[in-house]
């Protein structure tokens, strides 16, 4: 009895990885915009959802025009197979193109019509392409309309100001649309270059513990605070050292839009050059004098120089002479 030889598993075709250009912006390296564009073209679904509406409509129009041009050229392989043209002539490019438009849109005016086997087969193929194109376009339009877009505004800078005597990393967030966002969660990280004892460089990300990282109802504004105590990864780090190590504060927010019941996401980053250790945010909560208050968002990014800390006074009274 012959032995059965084990079948070797087909090896997966390795995907070629091309180098990615990193641009240095204010001490932080970011991917080139050209690389991002090429990445989107390799994933058409992401491209159609991430491009603006005018770009989306242009891509749909370009696809529609390309299909009709393609089938117009195919119909010209048998121009006599298109009926409805003047007697004694055959269909030209314009007749073939508009016959393709009518077929793709299932318009059927009854003037131009197929009358040969070749054109009938092409009409059958284009009818199938029409079904697929219409279904894909409808799905993409619905996906774009049904997606909830977060309009979260972050402050342009982050400050390091004292809070109850402890240095505190602080920045602001605002819900621009004032729609109800529930179950909001915020994660803040510190990314910077670190070196091992062997001299190997590695990009490390450390979690920054927040005073409050959860909001059951986020509608107006959120002041985010991280205490820089002895347990903080920022303890003992100066701004110049953060710049030298390409330090960056990374912010990630996610919540649920209460109206459409869909998740929303937002992110922000603060390079070391956008940290202000000697400034504090201006108060945007203003009193009107009649007990009412209002938020002045024109002061959202305003800061002022932090006043020098005053030494605590000794509450012990001096002994009587």
């Amino acid at each position: 009895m012959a032995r059965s030889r084990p079948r070797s598993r087909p090896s997966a075709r390795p995907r070629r990885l091309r180098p990615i250009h990193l641009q240095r912006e204010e001490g932080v390296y970011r991917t080139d915009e050209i690389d991002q564009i090429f990445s989107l073209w390799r994933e058409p679904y992401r491209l159609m959802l991430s491009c603006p509406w005018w770009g989306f409509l242009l891509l749909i129009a370009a696809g529609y025009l390309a299909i009709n041009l393609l089938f117009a050229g195919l119909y010209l392989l048998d121009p006599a197979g298109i009926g409805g043209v003047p007697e004694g002539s055959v269909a030209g490019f314009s007749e073939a193109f508009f016959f393709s438009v009518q077929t793709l849109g299932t318009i059927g005016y009854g003037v131009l019509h197929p009358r040969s086997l070749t054109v009938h087969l092409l009409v059958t193929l284009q009818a199938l392409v029409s079904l697929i194109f219409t279904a894909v376009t409808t799905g993409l339009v619905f996906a774009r309309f049904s997606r909830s877009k977060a309009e979260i505004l972050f402050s342009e800078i982050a400050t390091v100001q004292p809070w109850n005597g402890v240095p505190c990393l602080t920045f602001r967030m605002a819900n621009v649309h004032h729609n109800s966002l529930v179950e909001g969660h915020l994660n803040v990280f510190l990314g910077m270059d670190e070196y091992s004892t062997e001299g190997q460089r590695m990009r490390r990300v450390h979690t920054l513990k927040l005073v409050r990282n959860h909001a059951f109802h986020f509608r107006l504004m959120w002041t985010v605070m991280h205490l820089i105590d002895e347990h903080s990864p920022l303890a003992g780090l100066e701004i110049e050292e953060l710049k030298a190590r390409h330090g960056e504060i990374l912010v990630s927010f996610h919540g649920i839009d209460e109206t459409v019941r869909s998740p929303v996401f937002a992110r922000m980053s603060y390079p070391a050059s956008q940290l202000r250790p000697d400034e504090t945010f201006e108060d945007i909560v203003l009193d009107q004098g009649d007990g009412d208050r209002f938020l002045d968002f024109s002061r959202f990014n305003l800061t002022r120089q932090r006043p020098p800390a005053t030494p605590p006074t000794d509450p012990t009274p001096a002994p009587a002479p």
Side-chain angles (χ1 to χ4, degrees), residues 24-315:
R24 185 169 182 177
E25 299 178 1
E26 298 183 354
V28 179
Y29 288 97
R30 307 186 187 279
T31 58
D32 193 351
E33 293 293 335
I34 297 179
D35 295 320
Q36 297 179 5
I37 293 175
F38 283 131
S39 176
L40 287 176
W41 278 108
R42 290 196 299 267
E43 302 180 36
Y45 182 72
R46 288 184 56 203
L47 173 64
M48 300 300 285
L49 292 184
S50 59
C51 67
W53 271 106
W54 62 266
F56 174 77
L57 296 176
L58 283 179
L59 289 175
I60 294 296
Y64 181 82
L65 181 62
I67 292 175
N68 286 303
L69 289 175
L70 172 63
F71 276 92
L74 293 177
Y75 288 135
L76 288 178
L77 297 177
D78 185 13
I82 300 178
V85 296
E87 189 68 27
S89 63
V90 295
F93 177 77
S94 60
E95 289 83 4
F97 177 79
F98 290 113
F99 178 65
S100 172
V101 170
Q102 296 174 23
T103 304
L104 186 65
T106 64
I107 299 173
Y109 289 119
V111 179
L112 297 175
H113 58 275
R115 64 181 184 184
S116 70
L117 178 61
T118 302
V119 176
H120 273 291
L121 292 176
L122 289 175
V123 167
T124 303
L125 177 61
Q126 190 172 12
L128 176 62
V129 173
S130 174
L131 289 175
I132 298 174
F133 180 78
T134 304
V136 171
T137 304
T138 305
L140 290 173
V141 171
F142 177 77
R144 292 180 64 96
F145 269 110
S146 61
R147 184 180 55 176
S148 178
K149 184 179 180 181
E151 289 292 340
I152 305 299
L153 178 66
F154 292 89
S155 59
E156 297 175 354
I157 63 172
T159 66
V160 179
Q161 58 191 47
W163 180 259
N164 292 331
V166 180
C168 183
L169 174 70
T170 307
F171 60 90
R172 286 172 170 173
M173 297 171 52
N175 184 1
V176 176
H177 284 169
H178 305 322
N179 56 330
S180 297
L181 299 179
V182 297
E183 296 299 327
H185 288 270
L186 190 66
N187 296 311
V188 181
F189 307 92
L190 168 65
M192 61 181 177
D193 295 343
E194 294 184 0
Y195 293 86
S196 66
T197 55
E198 294 78 14
Q200 295 182 351
R201 182 178 59 186
M202 179 177 293
R203 187 72 174 175
R204 299 294 299 274
V205 177
H206 303 273
T207 302
L208 299 183
K209 183 179 179 181
L210 302 179
V211 175
R212 180 171 65 95
N213 68 339
H214 174 261
F216 73 95
H217 187 206
F218 179 34
R219 190 181 183 97
L220 295 175
M221 198 192 73
W222 188 347
T223 300
V224 184
M225 305 172 66
H226 163 72
L227 298 179
I228 307 178
D229 53 15
E230 65 273 10
H231 304 292
S232 171
L234 287 169
L237 289 177
E238 300 294 336
I239 295 297
E240 295 303 323
E241 183 179 358
L242 278 176
K243 291 181 179 180
R245 299 170 66 173
H246 304 147
E248 185 177 18
I249 304 298
L250 307 172
V251 184
S252 172
F253 170 82
H254 69 274
I256 300 176
D257 192 315
E258 193 176 30
T259 303
V260 297
R261 299 292 195 273
S262 63
V264 294
F265 304 92
R267 58 187 176 89
M268 181 63 176
S269 63
Y270 295 98
S273 58
Q274 293 178 231
L275 300 182
R276 300 291 188 268
D278 53 352
E279 297 180 12
T280 182
F281 281 107
E282 292 279 3
D283 193 1
I284 70 172
V285 181
L286 302 180
D287 293 318
Q288 290 183 317
D290 54 358
D292 293 335
R293 294 181 176 183
F294 71 98
L295 298 179
D296 185 5
F297 281 98
S298 64
R299 303 160 59 91
F300 186 74
N301 289 303
L302 293 183
T303 60
R304 67 177 185 272
Q305 292 292 322
R306 188 181 65 190
T310 56
T313 58
D314 188 3

